[in-house]
């Protein structure tokens, strides 16, 4: 059994590039030309609250970079909002280009590796109206955008992420599968377009969610888990490894260029999904005793599941692995430190179990408490953001991570320093509550 307080000091055998990740729509604010902003205004009933000024980072980006420096981050993943560069079809906003160029200059001056995401969840509203990624005939808008923006910034970018998490979704409807294929082809076209101007490694961020059968010996649970795993995870790895786009109830397509579309595996790892053959969705519930309700809303019943990271990592030993997101939403910051300790332990164990595995980077999600796509309640940040003044305040977990970065490792003593006691551990009550636990 692991005691987080007495763990021996461990140093990762190779240097890891440490830092944090954010996304434009979630932090910049006033992202008025994006599809998301449009939907938030048009359908407020689907949102707890709109993104509004988010963390006001479009104005306060210099402060964010100072924060990264203060916290010792070596790398920063952020997205460039396509809709700011091209607010309307055919129109370029040079002020927005200059903004991101200045940001990249400042990161370079601070010696911080810039990992640039080209599209993280939000696209220009004009592009969404044309049908977005699903229509392959739209992809030239994206590659033309790349032809414009990438040469203007490439010399300061350390790594690229073309799209974020298009792999999610287990539906097998023609529309759902078409969305997947369209996104995969857009990723491929985008990756090849970027490579014309940049030698920096290219990938797309994969939400690697372990599809875990609820009853591991039950044939239907296992079949559903295998199917979900193919739909969510393996179709992507298979496509990149072989060029074959293989999805259920579709003719296989061979796109050989896919084999050049990822120089590394970019993995966003958070948790697992229990899979069952006994519900219409295929998704089971997490066992009551393993569920955590750590923010005052129903947010996927997070649980601590570091062993699933090992399952995922074991499948990615053929390219460098970058953990491009990992974190937890909680109001009690000590939980973030516990979660991160367990993740670091899982990384250590994975490296020991799978000697061919190469973990090159760890980017914590997220630098700031930000807009979680429909609400500000789930707080993933290493830093608190005052919702009125936008003042940023690092939490203890930020200082904890700084020491991890300095050591390229972790120890029980470090945990003890930041979490000296856990006597008043707060778990929320309510409909989806976990059990009432007090940890002394
Ligand atoms: C997404 C982020 C999101 C985070 C936490 C990831 O899947 O890339 O945008 O905020 O999860 O839910």
């Amino acid at each position: 059994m692991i005691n987080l307080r007495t763990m021996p000091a461990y140093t990762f055998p190779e240097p890891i590039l440490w830092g944090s990740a954010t996304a434009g729509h979630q932090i910049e604010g006033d992202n008025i030309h994006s599809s998301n902003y449009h939907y938030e205004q048009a359908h407020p009933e689907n949102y707890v609250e709109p993104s509004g000024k988010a963390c006001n980072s479009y104005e306060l980006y210099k402060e964010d970079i100072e924060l990264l420096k203060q916290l010792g981050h070596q790398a920063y993943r952020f997205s460039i909002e396509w809709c700011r560069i091209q607010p309307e079809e055919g129109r370029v906003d040079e002020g927005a280009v200059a903004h991101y160029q200045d940001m990249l200059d400042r990161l370079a001056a601070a010696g911080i590796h810039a990992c640039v995401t080209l599209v993280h969840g939000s696209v220009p509203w004009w592009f969404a109206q044309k049908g977005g990624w699903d229509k392959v005939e739209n992809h030239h808008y994206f590659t033309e955008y790349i032809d414009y923006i990438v040469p203007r910034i490439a010399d300061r970018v350390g790594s690229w992420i073309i799209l974020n998490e298009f792999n999610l979704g287990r539906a097998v409807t023609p529309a759902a599968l078409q969305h997947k294929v369209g996104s995969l082809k857009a990723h491929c076209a985008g990756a090849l377009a970027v490579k014309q101007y940049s030698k920096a490694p290219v990938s797309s961020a994969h939400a690697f969610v372990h599809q875990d059968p609820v009853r591991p010996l039950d044939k239907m649970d296992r079949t559903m888990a295998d199917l979900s795993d193919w739909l969510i995870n393996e179709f992507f790895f298979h496509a990149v490894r072989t060029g074959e786009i293989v999805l259920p109830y579709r003719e296989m397509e061979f796109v050989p260029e896919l084999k050049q579309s990822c120089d590394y595996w970019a993995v966003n790892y958070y948790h697992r999904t229990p899979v069952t053959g006994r519900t219409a969705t295929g998704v089971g519930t997490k066992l009551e005793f393993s569920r955590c309700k750590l923010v005052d809303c129903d947010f996927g019943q997070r649980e601590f599941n570091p062993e699933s990271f090992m399952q995922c990592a074991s499948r990615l030993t053929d390219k460098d692995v970058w953990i491009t997101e990992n974190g937890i939403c909680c109001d009690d910051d000590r939980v973030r430190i516990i979660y991160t300790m367990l993740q670091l332990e899982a990384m250590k164990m994975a490296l020991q179990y799978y000697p061919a595995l190469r973990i090159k980077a760890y980017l914590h999600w997220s630098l700031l408490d930000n807009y979680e796509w429909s609400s500000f309640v789930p707080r993933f940040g290493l830093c608190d953001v005052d919702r009125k003044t936008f003042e940023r305040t690092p939490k203890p977990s930020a200082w904890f991570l700084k020491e991890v970065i300095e050591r390229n490792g972790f120890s029980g003593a470090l945990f003890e320093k930041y979490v000296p006691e856990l006597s008043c551990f707060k778990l929320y009550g309510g409909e989806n509550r976990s059990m009432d636990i007090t940890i002394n």
Side-chain angles (χ1 to χ4, degrees):
M1 192 163 119
I2 284 177
N3 181 335
L4 293 182
R5 297 185 194 287
T6 58
M7 274 182 177
Y10 174 79
T11 307
F12 286 96
E14 301 288 336
I16 289 180
L17 188 62
W18 300 95
S20 56
T22 59
H25 187 72
Q26 295 182 267
I27 64 167
E28 287 182 347
D30 294 331
N31 198 17
I32 56 173
H33 299 291
S34 69
S35 50
N36 298 56
Y37 192 90
H38 172 86
Y39 297 133
E40 289 161 22
Q41 306 301 313
H43 296 286
E45 69 280 9
N46 296 338
Y47 298 82
V48 176
E49 52 202 322
S51 52
K53 289 205 103 46
C55 302
N56 202 19
S57 283
Y58 199 73
E59 262 179 57
L60 300 180
Y61 68 102
K62 294 177 195 160
E63 284 186 29
D64 289 347
I65 294 172
E66 286 309 310
L67 205 52
L68 292 166
K69 281 159 68 175
Q70 204 189 348
L71 299 176
H73 290 203
Q74 302 159 341
Y76 183 47
R77 176 185 169 207
F78 66 98
S79 70
I80 291 182
E81 282 297 300
W82 177 10
C83 69
R84 289 193 191 271
I85 308 287
Q86 289 185 333
E88 288 148 31
E89 185 182 346
R91 180 166 81 83
V92 164
D93 180 344
E94 287 181 5
V97 180
H99 166 93
Y100 289 115
Q101 284 173 329
D102 186 48
M103 200 171 155
L104 285 161
D105 282 344
R106 286 169 191 272
L107 288 169
I112 297 174
H113 172 113
C115 174
V116 168
T117 310
L118 288 178
V119 174
H120 192 132
S122 50
V123 291
W125 172 229
W126 62 262
F127 179 73
Q129 281 174 295
K130 290 179 187 293
W133 308 117
D134 298 11
K135 293 197 179 153
V136 175
E137 59 269 30
N138 285 343
H139 293 179
H140 73 94
Y141 293 110
F142 185 44
T143 51
E144 283 158 17
Y145 163 65
I146 287 174
D147 287 338
Y148 174 80
I149 191 68
V150 172
R152 288 172 168 75
I153 56 173
D155 55 341
R156 283 149 282 181
V157 175
S159 52
W160 301 93
I161 291 180
I162 307 298
L163 303 181
N164 187 63
E165 296 192 345
F166 62 81
N167 60 294
L168 290 172
R170 65 192 69 237
V172 291
T173 59
L177 297 179
Q178 181 49 39
H179 180 67
K180 233 161 231 198
V181 173
S183 305
L184 188 57
K185 288 182 178 172
H187 147 80
C188 185
L192 268 56
V194 168
K195 278 168 179 255
Q196 299 176 96
Y197 310 104
S198 170
K199 291 202 176 356
V202 168
S203 197
S204 272
H206 181 92
F208 206 158
V209 188
H210 177 205
Q211 302 299 305
D212 204 3
V214 171
R215 304 165 196 80
L217 298 181
D218 181 271
K219 199 156 184 189
M220 191 55 185
D221 280 11
R222 281 206 333 249
T223 304
M224 288 298 283
D226 280 348
L227 178 63
S228 300
D229 183 68
W230 189 277
L231 285 163
I232 291 171
N233 297 318
E234 194 63 23
F235 87 94
F236 176 68
F237 304 133
H238 184 82
V240 170
R241 285 176 180 140
T242 66
E244 293 179 356
I245 304 180
V246 181
L247 285 164
Y249 311 113
R250 272 185 79 104
E251 294 299 314
M252 190 269 276
E253 284 184 72
F254 182 52
V255 182
E257 299 79 29
L258 273 162
K259 288 192 269 183
Q260 290 121 50
S261 69
C262 287
D263 298 316
Y264 65 103
W265 298 123
V267 175
N268 298 348
Y269 176 75
Y270 290 89
H271 62 159
R272 69 182 182 124
T273 296
V275 179
T276 172
R278 288 163 175 76
T279 65
T281 59
V283 179
T285 45
K286 284 173 182 163
L287 298 172
E288 180 67 16
F289 60 75
S290 75
R291 292 200 300 165
C292 303
K293 188 169 168 65
L294 301 168
V295 287
D296 203 5
C297 73
D298 185 5
F299 193 84
Q301 280 77 44
R302 299 281 161 168
E303 64 177 356
F304 293 85
N305 209 247
E307 63 273 27
S308 283
F309 172 76
M310 294 181 62
Q311 301 283 345
C312 296
S314 72
R315 294 164 57 181
L316 300 178
T317 54
D318 56 337
K319 293 181 193 290
D320 289 351
V321 171
W322 291 42
I323 300 170
T324 41
E325 287 183 30
N326 173 253
I328 190 166
C329 61
C330 50
D331 286 345
D332 186 333
D333 186 55
R334 294 170 303 177
V335 175
R336 196 175 336 277
I337 299 175
I338 296 171
Y339 179 92
T340 308
M341 278 293 283
L342 292 173
Q343 173 65 21
L344 296 173
E345 180 67 12
M347 288 158 61
K348 165 184 152 188
M349 302 272 284
L351 290 169
Q352 288 171 357
Y353 274 63
Y354 309 108
L357 176 66
R358 303 183 306 266
I359 301 177
K360 294 289 182 188
Y362 173 91
L363 308 179
H364 193 87
W365 186 271
S366 183
L367 177 66
L368 305 172
D369 282 341
N370 57 31
Y371 182 64
E372 184 50 44
W373 300 110
S374 71
S375 153
F376 286 97
V377 173
R379 301 199 296 153
F380 279 89
L382 294 164
C383 302
D384 173 78
V385 177
D386 185 293
R387 298 255 22 93
K388 290 204 175 70
T389 64
F390 303 110
E391 190 189 346
R392 282 93 162 110
T393 310
K395 302 175 190 175
S397 56
W399 302 118
F400 161 82
L401 188 63
K402 182 175 194 217
E403 294 209 40
V404 170
I405 298 172
E406 284 161 2
R407 288 169 174 72
N408 195 44
F410 60 104
S411 69
L414 185 62
F415 176 74
E416 176 80 4
K417 177 173 168 187
Y418 287 93
V419 186
E421 50 72 34
L422 260 179
S423 56
C424 52
F425 195 74
K426 181 179 170 192
L427 288 171
Y428 290 98
E431 200 190 339
N432 293 297
R433 74 189 170 84
S434 186
M435 290 184 297
D436 293 325
I437 303 173
T438 309
I439 300 177
N440 292 303

